[in-house]
Short mmCIF file of all heavy atoms in Angstrom, two decimals:
data_model
loop_
_atom_site.label_atom_id
_atom_site.label_comp_id
_atom_site.label_asym_id
_atom_site.label_seq_id
_atom_site.Cartn_x
_atom_site.Cartn_y
_atom_site.Cartn_z
N TYR D 1303 -40.12 19.12 -17.75
CA TYR D 1303 -39.80 18.49 -16.57
C TYR D 1303 -38.65 19.21 -15.84
O TYR D 1303 -37.84 19.91 -16.41
CB TYR D 1303 -39.31 17.09 -16.66
CG TYR D 1303 -40.32 16.06 -17.36
CD1 TYR D 1303 -40.54 16.08 -18.81
CD2 TYR D 1303 -41.13 15.29 -16.51
CE1 TYR D 1303 -41.58 15.20 -19.22
CE2 TYR D 1303 -42.04 14.37 -17.01
CZ TYR D 1303 -42.27 14.39 -18.45
OH TYR D 1303 -43.08 13.47 -18.97
N GLN D 1305 -35.59 18.29 -12.94
CA GLN D 1305 -34.93 17.25 -12.20
C GLN D 1305 -33.90 17.74 -11.23
O GLN D 1305 -32.97 18.41 -11.66
CB GLN D 1305 -34.30 16.20 -13.13
CG GLN D 1305 -33.73 15.00 -12.60
CD GLN D 1305 -33.15 14.05 -13.55
OE1 GLN D 1305 -32.60 14.46 -14.58
NE2 GLN D 1305 -33.16 12.73 -13.29
N LYS D 1308 -29.93 13.57 -8.45
CA LYS D 1308 -30.07 12.26 -8.05
C LYS D 1308 -31.61 11.99 -7.72
O LYS D 1308 -32.00 11.09 -6.90
CB LYS D 1308 -29.26 11.93 -6.79
CG LYS D 1308 -27.79 11.90 -7.12
CD LYS D 1308 -26.95 11.40 -5.92
CE LYS D 1308 -25.54 11.40 -6.27
NZ LYS D 1308 -24.70 10.76 -5.24
N SER D 1310 -35.80 11.75 -9.39
CA SER D 1310 -36.63 11.50 -10.81
C SER D 1310 -37.03 12.75 -11.29
O SER D 1310 -36.89 13.88 -10.83
CB SER D 1310 -37.74 10.66 -10.42
OG SER D 1310 -38.28 10.12 -11.56
N LEU D 1311 -37.65 12.65 -12.52
CA LEU D 1311 -38.13 13.78 -13.19
C LEU D 1311 -39.46 14.16 -12.68
O LEU D 1311 -40.38 13.36 -12.27
CB LEU D 1311 -38.44 13.42 -14.61
CG LEU D 1311 -37.19 13.42 -15.55
CD1 LEU D 1311 -36.33 12.21 -15.26
CD2 LEU D 1311 -37.48 13.66 -16.97
N LEU D 1313 -42.81 16.51 -13.52
CA LEU D 1313 -43.52 17.18 -14.57
C LEU D 1313 -43.98 18.43 -13.99
O LEU D 1313 -44.50 18.66 -12.99
CB LEU D 1313 -44.69 16.34 -14.95
CG LEU D 1313 -45.59 16.86 -16.09
CD1 LEU D 1313 -44.79 17.05 -17.36
CD2 LEU D 1313 -46.79 16.13 -16.31
N GLU D 1326 -48.82 21.58 -13.60
CA GLU D 1326 -49.03 20.74 -12.51
C GLU D 1326 -49.21 21.52 -11.18
O GLU D 1326 -48.74 22.70 -11.04
CB GLU D 1326 -47.81 19.88 -12.33
CG GLU D 1326 -47.66 18.79 -13.60
CD GLU D 1326 -48.86 17.93 -13.71
OE1 GLU D 1326 -49.13 17.15 -12.76
OE2 GLU D 1326 -49.51 18.10 -14.71
N PHE D 1358 -31.95 21.12 -13.34
CA PHE D 1358 -31.93 20.55 -14.71
C PHE D 1358 -33.25 20.47 -15.22
O PHE D 1358 -34.14 19.85 -14.73
CB PHE D 1358 -31.19 19.17 -14.61
CG PHE D 1358 -30.86 18.55 -15.90
CD1 PHE D 1358 -29.92 19.15 -16.75
CD2 PHE D 1358 -31.31 17.34 -16.30
CE1 PHE D 1358 -29.56 18.65 -17.88
CE2 PHE D 1358 -31.00 16.74 -17.43
CZ PHE D 1358 -30.07 17.40 -18.38
N ILE D 1360 -35.70 19.59 -18.46
CA ILE D 1360 -35.79 18.56 -19.61
C ILE D 1360 -37.16 18.72 -20.22
O ILE D 1360 -38.16 18.68 -19.66
CB ILE D 1360 -35.53 17.14 -19.19
CG1 ILE D 1360 -34.29 16.92 -18.30
CG2 ILE D 1360 -35.39 16.32 -20.47
CD1 ILE D 1360 -34.15 15.49 -17.77
N ARG D 1364 -43.99 14.73 -28.04
CA ARG D 1364 -44.87 13.60 -28.58
C ARG D 1364 -45.75 14.04 -29.80
O ARG D 1364 -46.08 15.19 -29.80
CB ARG D 1364 -45.77 13.09 -27.57
CG ARG D 1364 -46.59 11.88 -27.87
CD ARG D 1364 -47.56 11.66 -26.69
NE ARG D 1364 -48.65 12.56 -26.62
CZ ARG D 1364 -49.33 12.94 -25.61
NH1 ARG D 1364 -49.09 12.41 -24.44
NH2 ARG D 1364 -50.21 13.81 -25.54
N GLY D 1366 -48.90 13.62 -32.31
CA GLY D 1366 -50.26 13.16 -32.57
C GLY D 1366 -50.76 12.24 -31.39
O GLY D 1366 -50.79 12.74 -30.25
N THR D 1367 -51.17 11.04 -31.75
CA THR D 1367 -51.74 10.21 -30.78
C THR D 1367 -50.68 9.16 -30.41
O THR D 1367 -50.98 8.24 -29.68
CB THR D 1367 -52.93 9.33 -31.33
OG1 THR D 1367 -52.54 8.61 -32.48
CG2 THR D 1367 -54.13 10.32 -31.57
N ASP D 1369 -47.76 7.49 -28.17
CA ASP D 1369 -47.74 7.40 -26.75
C ASP D 1369 -46.27 7.55 -26.16
O ASP D 1369 -46.08 7.49 -24.92
CB ASP D 1369 -48.38 6.05 -26.19
CG ASP D 1369 -49.80 5.99 -26.61
OD1 ASP D 1369 -50.72 6.61 -25.88
OD2 ASP D 1369 -50.18 5.23 -27.57
N THR D 1370 -45.35 7.53 -27.07
CA THR D 1370 -43.90 7.68 -26.67
C THR D 1370 -43.52 9.13 -26.61
O THR D 1370 -43.71 9.89 -27.59
CB THR D 1370 -43.09 6.81 -27.69
OG1 THR D 1370 -43.53 5.55 -27.59
CG2 THR D 1370 -41.66 6.82 -27.18
N GLN D 1371 -42.99 9.57 -25.41
CA GLN D 1371 -42.32 10.78 -25.29
C GLN D 1371 -40.84 10.70 -25.67
O GLN D 1371 -40.13 9.83 -25.04
CB GLN D 1371 -42.47 11.38 -23.91
CG GLN D 1371 -43.91 11.73 -23.64
CD GLN D 1371 -44.06 12.28 -22.16
OE1 GLN D 1371 -43.12 12.96 -21.75
NE2 GLN D 1371 -45.17 12.14 -21.63
N TYR D 1372 -40.38 11.61 -26.48
CA TYR D 1372 -38.90 11.62 -26.77
C TYR D 1372 -38.29 12.88 -26.10
O TYR D 1372 -38.87 13.97 -26.24
CB TYR D 1372 -38.74 11.64 -28.29
CG TYR D 1372 -39.16 10.33 -28.85
CD1 TYR D 1372 -40.36 10.20 -29.42
CD2 TYR D 1372 -38.26 9.26 -28.85
CE1 TYR D 1372 -40.83 8.99 -30.04
CE2 TYR D 1372 -38.58 8.00 -29.54
CZ TYR D 1372 -39.85 7.90 -30.03
OH TYR D 1372 -40.32 6.73 -30.56
N PHE D 1373 -37.17 12.71 -25.47
CA PHE D 1373 -36.63 13.71 -24.54
C PHE D 1373 -35.54 14.46 -25.20
O PHE D 1373 -34.78 13.89 -25.96
CB PHE D 1373 -36.21 13.11 -23.24
CG PHE D 1373 -37.34 12.73 -22.24
CD1 PHE D 1373 -38.05 11.53 -22.45
CD2 PHE D 1373 -37.71 13.55 -21.29
CE1 PHE D 1373 -39.08 11.16 -21.65
CE2 PHE D 1373 -38.71 13.20 -20.43
CZ PHE D 1373 -39.51 12.04 -20.67
N GLY D 1374 -35.36 15.72 -24.83
CA GLY D 1374 -34.20 16.51 -25.25
C GLY D 1374 -33.20 16.39 -24.31
O GLY D 1374 -33.23 15.60 -23.31
N PRO D 1375 -31.95 16.86 -24.50
CA PRO D 1375 -30.76 16.61 -23.88
C PRO D 1375 -30.74 17.34 -22.50
O PRO D 1375 -29.83 17.13 -21.70
CB PRO D 1375 -29.62 17.11 -24.71
CG PRO D 1375 -30.30 18.15 -25.59
CD PRO D 1375 -31.70 17.70 -25.75
N TYR H 284 -49.20 1.79 -21.20
CA TYR H 284 -47.82 1.49 -21.82
C TYR H 284 -46.74 1.63 -20.82
O TYR H 284 -46.95 2.52 -19.93
CB TYR H 284 -47.66 2.66 -22.88
CG TYR H 284 -48.59 2.46 -24.17
CD1 TYR H 284 -49.83 3.13 -24.20
CD2 TYR H 284 -48.19 1.53 -25.16
CE1 TYR H 284 -50.65 2.99 -25.31
CE2 TYR H 284 -49.08 1.48 -26.18
CZ TYR H 284 -50.24 2.13 -26.34
OH TYR H 284 -51.07 1.93 -27.40
N PHE H 286 -42.46 1.84 -20.14
CA PHE H 286 -41.44 2.30 -20.82
C PHE H 286 -40.15 2.11 -19.92
O PHE H 286 -40.16 2.09 -18.72
CB PHE H 286 -41.39 3.92 -21.15
CG PHE H 286 -42.57 4.29 -21.92
CD1 PHE H 286 -43.76 4.49 -21.42
CD2 PHE H 286 -42.30 4.51 -23.28
CE1 PHE H 286 -44.82 4.90 -22.34
CE2 PHE H 286 -43.35 4.95 -24.07
CZ PHE H 286 -44.60 5.12 -23.64
N TYR H 288 -36.30 4.10 -19.88
CA TYR H 288 -35.45 5.22 -20.37
C TYR H 288 -34.08 5.03 -19.68
O TYR H 288 -33.95 4.71 -18.41
CB TYR H 288 -35.99 6.63 -20.09
CG TYR H 288 -37.21 6.88 -20.93
CD1 TYR H 288 -38.38 6.69 -20.42
CD2 TYR H 288 -36.99 7.53 -22.13
CE1 TYR H 288 -39.61 7.10 -21.22
CE2 TYR H 288 -38.05 8.06 -23.02
CZ TYR H 288 -39.35 7.66 -22.46
OH TYR H 288 -40.54 8.02 -23.17
N GLN H 290 -30.66 7.19 -18.67
CA GLN H 290 -30.05 8.60 -18.50
C GLN H 290 -28.68 8.54 -18.20
O GLN H 290 -28.13 8.27 -16.98
CB GLN H 290 -30.85 9.38 -17.46
CG GLN H 290 -30.37 10.84 -17.41
CD GLN H 290 -31.28 11.67 -16.39
OE1 GLN H 290 -31.53 11.21 -15.26
NE2 GLN H 290 -31.56 12.94 -16.62
N GLY H 294 -26.95 13.47 -19.14
CA GLY H 294 -28.30 13.95 -18.78
C GLY H 294 -29.51 13.62 -19.73
O GLY H 294 -30.71 13.70 -19.24
N GLU H 295 -29.27 13.35 -20.92
CA GLU H 295 -30.30 13.19 -21.89
C GLU H 295 -31.05 11.79 -21.63
O GLU H 295 -30.33 10.82 -21.23
CB GLU H 295 -29.81 13.07 -23.32
CG GLU H 295 -30.86 12.85 -24.29
CD GLU H 295 -30.34 12.90 -25.75
OE1 GLU H 295 -29.01 13.01 -25.86
OE2 GLU H 295 -31.08 12.65 -26.68
N LEU H 296 -32.33 11.76 -21.57
CA LEU H 296 -33.09 10.56 -21.52
C LEU H 296 -33.16 9.79 -22.77
O LEU H 296 -33.70 10.43 -23.77
CB LEU H 296 -34.55 10.80 -20.98
CG LEU H 296 -34.61 10.53 -19.37
CD1 LEU H 296 -33.94 11.83 -18.71
CD2 LEU H 296 -36.11 10.45 -19.06
N PHE H 298 -34.73 6.77 -24.97
CA PHE H 298 -35.84 5.81 -25.01
C PHE H 298 -35.26 4.50 -25.24
O PHE H 298 -34.44 4.26 -26.35
CB PHE H 298 -36.77 6.31 -26.09
CG PHE H 298 -37.80 5.27 -26.54
CD1 PHE H 298 -38.82 4.94 -25.65
CD2 PHE H 298 -37.71 4.59 -27.71
CE1 PHE H 298 -39.78 3.97 -26.00
CE2 PHE H 298 -38.64 3.65 -28.12
CZ PHE H 298 -39.65 3.31 -27.29
N ARG H 301 -40.83 0.47 -25.45
CA ARG H 301 -42.28 0.68 -25.14
C ARG H 301 -42.98 -0.58 -25.24
O ARG H 301 -42.75 -1.33 -26.13
CB ARG H 301 -42.86 1.78 -25.98
CG ARG H 301 -44.31 2.08 -25.68
CD ARG H 301 -45.00 2.91 -26.56
NE ARG H 301 -45.49 2.17 -27.69
CZ ARG H 301 -46.30 2.62 -28.63
NH1 ARG H 301 -46.70 3.92 -28.64
NH2 ARG H 301 -46.66 1.76 -29.62
N PHE H 342 -34.75 4.63 -15.79
CA PHE H 342 -36.09 4.94 -15.28
C PHE H 342 -37.04 4.04 -16.00
O PHE H 342 -37.08 3.83 -17.22
CB PHE H 342 -36.41 6.37 -15.59
CG PHE H 342 -35.63 7.32 -14.74
CD1 PHE H 342 -34.49 7.94 -15.44
CD2 PHE H 342 -36.03 7.71 -13.50
CE1 PHE H 342 -33.88 8.93 -14.58
CE2 PHE H 342 -35.32 8.60 -12.76
CZ PHE H 342 -34.22 9.31 -13.34
N PRO H 348 -52.95 5.36 -22.34
CA PRO H 348 -53.09 5.83 -23.74
C PRO H 348 -54.03 7.18 -23.84
O PRO H 348 -54.83 7.33 -22.87
CB PRO H 348 -53.77 4.65 -24.46
CG PRO H 348 -54.43 3.83 -23.40
CD PRO H 348 -53.54 4.14 -22.13
N LEU H 349 -53.96 7.87 -24.86
CA LEU H 349 -54.60 9.03 -25.10
C LEU H 349 -56.09 8.90 -25.10
O LEU H 349 -56.90 9.73 -24.87
CB LEU H 349 -54.25 9.80 -26.27
CG LEU H 349 -52.70 10.19 -26.47
CD1 LEU H 349 -52.45 10.98 -27.82
CD2 LEU H 349 -52.40 11.19 -25.17
N GLU H 356 -52.68 11.24 -19.84
CA GLU H 356 -51.60 10.61 -20.57
C GLU H 356 -50.13 10.92 -20.15
O GLU H 356 -49.20 10.92 -20.86
CB GLU H 356 -51.77 10.85 -22.13
CG GLU H 356 -51.46 12.34 -22.44
CD GLU H 356 -52.64 13.28 -22.23
OE1 GLU H 356 -53.52 12.92 -21.56
OE2 GLU H 356 -52.53 14.35 -22.76
N LYS H 357 -50.02 11.41 -18.97
CA LYS H 357 -48.75 11.84 -18.45
C LYS H 357 -47.88 10.65 -18.18
O LYS H 357 -48.46 9.61 -17.90
CB LYS H 357 -48.91 12.67 -17.20
CG LYS H 357 -49.71 13.85 -17.36
CD LYS H 357 -50.02 14.45 -15.84
CE LYS H 357 -51.14 15.39 -15.94
NZ LYS H 357 -51.45 15.88 -14.51
N LEU H 358 -46.61 10.77 -18.27
CA LEU H 358 -45.68 9.67 -17.87
C LEU H 358 -45.50 9.71 -16.36
O LEU H 358 -45.24 10.73 -15.83
CB LEU H 358 -44.37 9.89 -18.55
CG LEU H 358 -43.99 9.20 -19.82
CD1 LEU H 358 -42.67 9.57 -20.35
CD2 LEU H 358 -44.20 7.74 -19.67
N PHE H 360 -43.05 8.36 -13.60
CA PHE H 360 -41.79 7.79 -13.55
C PHE H 360 -41.51 7.05 -12.27
O PHE H 360 -42.07 7.51 -11.27
CB PHE H 360 -40.64 8.81 -13.62
CG PHE H 360 -40.40 9.39 -15.08
CD1 PHE H 360 -41.15 10.36 -15.53
CD2 PHE H 360 -39.46 8.64 -15.88
CE1 PHE H 360 -40.96 10.76 -16.84
CE2 PHE H 360 -39.26 9.09 -17.15
CZ PHE H 360 -40.03 10.23 -17.74
N GLY H 361 -40.68 6.06 -12.27
CA GLY H 361 -40.15 5.46 -10.99
C GLY H 361 -39.04 6.43 -10.56
O GLY H 361 -38.63 7.43 -11.32
N THR H 362 -38.45 6.08 -9.38
CA THR H 362 -37.43 6.92 -8.89
C THR H 362 -36.03 6.75 -9.52
O THR H 362 -35.09 7.36 -9.27
CB THR H 362 -37.26 6.78 -7.43
OG1 THR H 362 -37.13 5.40 -7.00
CG2 THR H 362 -38.49 7.39 -6.70
N ARG H 365 -29.63 3.73 -10.19
CA ARG H 365 -28.37 4.02 -10.86
C ARG H 365 -27.47 2.84 -10.79
O ARG H 365 -27.22 2.14 -9.86
CB ARG H 365 -27.70 5.04 -9.71
CG ARG H 365 -26.42 5.59 -10.14
CD ARG H 365 -25.85 6.65 -9.23
NE ARG H 365 -26.66 7.82 -9.23
CZ ARG H 365 -26.59 8.80 -10.10
NH1 ARG H 365 -25.76 8.81 -11.00
NH2 ARG H 365 -27.46 9.80 -9.89
#
Side-chain angles (χ1 to χ4, degrees):
Chain D
Y1303 295 85
Q1305 187 179 30
K1308 297 190 176 183
S1310 189
L1311 282 75
L1313 179 65
E1326 294 299 298
F1358 191 58
I1360 310 176
R1364 185 187 67 207
T1367 57
D1369 298 284
T1370 300
Q1371 291 182 30
Y1372 294 94
F1373 287 80
Chain H
Y284 291 93
F286 300 82
Y288 288 91
Q290 187 177 38
E295 178 178 4
L296 262 76
F298 166 74
R301 183 188 82 169
F342 290 98
L349 296 180
E356 71 277 12
K357 304 172 198 176
L358 264 178
F360 282 93
T362 49
R365 181 175 299 275

